[in-house]
Amino acid sequence: MAQRRSISRISLAALILLLVVVAGGVEAYYSFLSPKQTAIVVSGTVNVVAFSGFNDAALKKIAADFMAKYPSVTVNIIGEPYGSSIAAYKTAFQANQSSFDVISVAPGFIGILQPYMLDISPYLSNSHYFPSSWNSTDMIQSAMDQYSLSGVQLGIPESTGVMLLYYRPSFFSNATNQMLFQQQYGYPLPSPASTTLTIQQLIDAANFFNGQHGSKYGIIVMSDGAPYDMIQTYGSLLASLRAANAAQYGPVTAQWGVFMSNGKLLINSTIGQQAMSAYVQLVNASENPLSASFETAPGMFARGDAALMLDWAPPAFWMNNPNRSTVVGDWAVAPNYPGGTTIDSSTALAVYKYSKNLPAALAFLSFATSPSEGKYYFTLDSLLPFRYSVFSYASSSEQQYAGILADISTNIVHSVPYVSYVSYFPKISAYVTTQFPDMYSGKVSVAEGTNMITSQLYTSIAT
């Protein structure tokens, strides 16, 4: 595993200054050469899977551009909900069906789908597949690393991501709220703009604003039963505790994420249980406990329902849109996540190893992650850029995002990867999703629930 080299090493301003100037466009014509083949003309049909409501607008635009450049190719964009996509992929691939040629993936998919994903590494260094205009030095390396396993590149990023703390500034600057909070908790109401909240301060603020002091709910957090929603929010709370205890648990790396250290699950450790207890308390102060999802949570905050929200970066790029939000001008992103460390991730495009139209699939992969097309994930789907040049484009051409991107980049500076590549990561997510409702309701204690999750995982591995 390559050492993680992140955009997080430098501020957004420095990143823009160090930007590599990227020549626009891609080669007008692609021919494809395998090591032992003659030129292959790109033609036929390519089936590309988009996550519904996530990256589909960009991929539809990119597909139109691709077909305009290559009239002999038909690109079908197939929408698949994020939560059901991995099951759809497995069903098709295990039946040896080539119904998907290019798929949208996240790092957590790799453990299960690795046998079906093409090793892109040999093609990256071949100009017939990835020309110089594709410019690998413009890619954010930490995102690339999340799809590199033992020297094998299994995907090309289309977006990066980071979990953020959203808040309503007017609630925290209100003099009455400040006085009442001081009286109730014995310390000043912390401003997320200037204070890195501790996890306990986050809990206190959520409880303070839960149905009181101008807010319907204290916080919005994902807590539904869809795959990965719970584990993402829980993982973000564990991230700071994990990073602060690296001396005990070992360094956080892209291979193990915040869950594993030396092959051992951390969920029933002291910090794992501390993070789970915090998650239980936050869900208790949230809107729609056990129901708020990746798809619905941002809309709740945008309606003005809560003082706080823990969520990924995309809502930051539409929260000031009056057609989608009632909190225009009264929301912000905290420069630092509670506890001082957050989680990062990404999404990527990968190629089915046994695609019946591999040349066209690789052509689309290269085209869809090129500098000229890469901006559409940001402009059409509000996804965090995966290329330095797109960061520069976003901050210079879309001035309203400059400050937001600066706050997001500060979070990226203090982030760790949350996902584990190991094949049983989906099981960890499933066990957390199954056990959490009982911990939330008090049917079992946090200690009992986290021990059960750990026991279930080790039992499944042993069998």
Side-chain angles (χ1 to χ4, degrees):
M1 174 64 63
Q3 290 296 314
R4 185 169 175 271
R5 299 179 297 281
S6 176
I7 182 178
S8 62
R9 303 299 183 191
I10 50 180
S11 68
L12 182 65
L15 179 139
I16 294 172
L17 288 174
L18 294 175
L19 212 52
V20 176
V21 177
V22 180
V26 292
E27 290 184 344
Y29 176 82
Y30 281 87
S31 63
F32 288 79
L33 300 175
S34 70
K36 296 182 179 180
Q37 288 181 318
T38 57
I40 301 174
V41 176
V42 178
S43 61
T45 299
V46 178
N47 296 319
V48 178
V49 181
F51 291 139
S52 301
F54 184 76
N55 61 350
D56 44 1
L59 285 173
K60 288 176 183 178
K61 166 61 175 170
I62 293 168
D65 290 350
F66 186 82
M67 288 186 287
K69 187 173 289 293
Y70 305 107
S72 60
V73 179
T74 299
V75 180
N76 297 318
I77 301 298
I78 302 168
E80 186 72 43
Y82 177 89
S84 61
S85 58
I86 195 167
Y89 297 157
K90 284 181 61 181
T91 298
F93 297 159
Q94 288 176 350
N96 197 28
Q97 297 175 356
S98 188
S99 49
F100 307 136
D101 299 294
V102 179
I103 59 175
S104 295
V105 294
F109 291 29
I110 293 177
I112 286 181
L113 298 180
Q114 182 184 359
Y116 310 106
M117 298 167 72
L118 180 72
D119 177 9
I120 304 166
S121 307
Y123 304 96
L124 288 172
S125 58
N126 189 325
S127 61
H128 293 286
Y129 292 87
F130 289 83
S132 59
S133 59
W134 188 81
N135 193 5
S136 62
T137 63
D138 187 39
M139 299 290 291
I140 294 172
Q141 188 62 45
S142 62
M144 286 286 281
D145 287 349
Q146 290 179 329
Y147 298 92
S148 176
L149 186 60
S150 301
V152 174
Q153 191 71 39
L154 298 171
I156 303 296
E158 60 177 1
S159 73
T160 55
V162 64
M163 187 75 84
L164 303 170
L165 171 62
Y166 295 77
Y167 69 99
R168 300 283 301 281
S170 64
F171 292 176
F172 287 84
S173 62
N174 182 280
T176 301
N177 288 346
Q178 292 173 349
M179 178 188 69
L180 294 174
F181 186 92
Q182 174 82 50
Q183 292 174 354
Q184 183 173 347
Y185 292 96
Y187 66 91
L189 176 63
S191 170
S194 56
T195 303
T196 300
L197 276 64
T198 66
I199 292 178
Q200 185 59 54
Q201 287 174 330
L202 176 68
I203 294 169
D204 290 346
N207 286 330
F208 178 76
F209 286 113
N210 190 27
Q212 305 175 78
H213 314 299
S215 184
K216 294 180 181 179
Y217 303 94
I219 194 167
I220 305 295
V221 294
M222 295 184 294
S223 59
D224 68 318
Y228 304 118
D229 280 4
M230 284 188 182
I231 202 72
Q232 290 173 0
T233 308
Y234 167 68
S236 71
L237 298 170
L238 179 55
S240 288
L241 300 171
R242 177 71 174 84
N245 289 272
Q248 178 179 356
Y249 295 105
V252 179
T253 68
Q255 184 176 2
W256 292 112
V258 297
F259 301 107
M260 307 294 291
S261 179
N262 299 324
K264 294 184 179 180
L265 194 64
L266 292 175
I267 288 180
N268 71 333
S269 68
T270 299
I271 62 172
Q273 292 179 353
Q274 184 179 343
M276 188 65 75
S277 176
Y279 186 33
V280 169
Q281 294 176 73
L282 291 174
V283 173
N284 190 56
S286 71
E287 183 172 4
N288 283 357
L290 308 184
S291 297
S293 69
F294 175 83
E295 291 80 10
T296 64
M300 298 175 191
F301 186 77
R303 290 197 301 264
D305 288 357
L308 297 157
M309 179 174 71
L310 302 181
D311 207 277
W312 293 100
F317 301 115
W318 57 259
M319 201 62 70
N320 272 337
N321 183 342
N323 294 322
R324 300 185 66 179
S325 172
T326 65
V327 298
V328 174
D330 186 26
W331 69 277
V333 170
N336 287 296
Y337 201 75
T341 303
T342 185
I343 56 174
D344 64 33
S345 188
S346 61
T347 58
L349 297 177
V351 174
Y352 176 43
K353 182 187 297 185
Y354 304 109
S355 166
K356 294 179 181 178
N357 195 350
L358 192 59
L362 282 163
F364 184 84
L365 176 68
S366 174
F367 186 83
T369 56
S370 66
S372 61
E373 300 295 307
K375 64 179 180 291
Y376 293 123
Y377 301 102
F378 172 77
T379 60
L380 298 180
D381 287 313
S382 300
L383 300 179
L384 200 61
F386 64 104
R387 284 183 174 273
Y388 298 110
S389 56
V390 181
F391 263 93
S392 177
Y393 167 85
S395 61
S396 62
S397 65
E398 306 287 344
Q399 288 297 315
Q400 70 268 33
Y401 298 132
I404 296 170
L405 285 167
D407 287 332
I408 290 175
S409 69
T410 304
N411 279 271
I412 296 175
V413 169
H414 303 103
S415 66
V416 295
Y418 92 97
V419 159
S420 169
Y421 289 128
V422 291
S423 60
Y424 44 85
F425 174 77
K427 293 182 179 180
I428 299 175
S429 175
Y431 297 149
V432 168
T433 301
T434 300
Q435 293 298 324
F436 181 79
D438 286 343
M439 290 184 279
Y440 168 73
S441 67
K443 184 177 180 180
V444 300
S445 68
V446 166
E448 291 170 331
T450 54
N451 283 332
M452 178 64 72
I453 293 167
T454 305
S455 176
Q456 287 175 320
L457 176 66
Y458 288 148
T459 298
S460 70
I461 294 173
T463 56

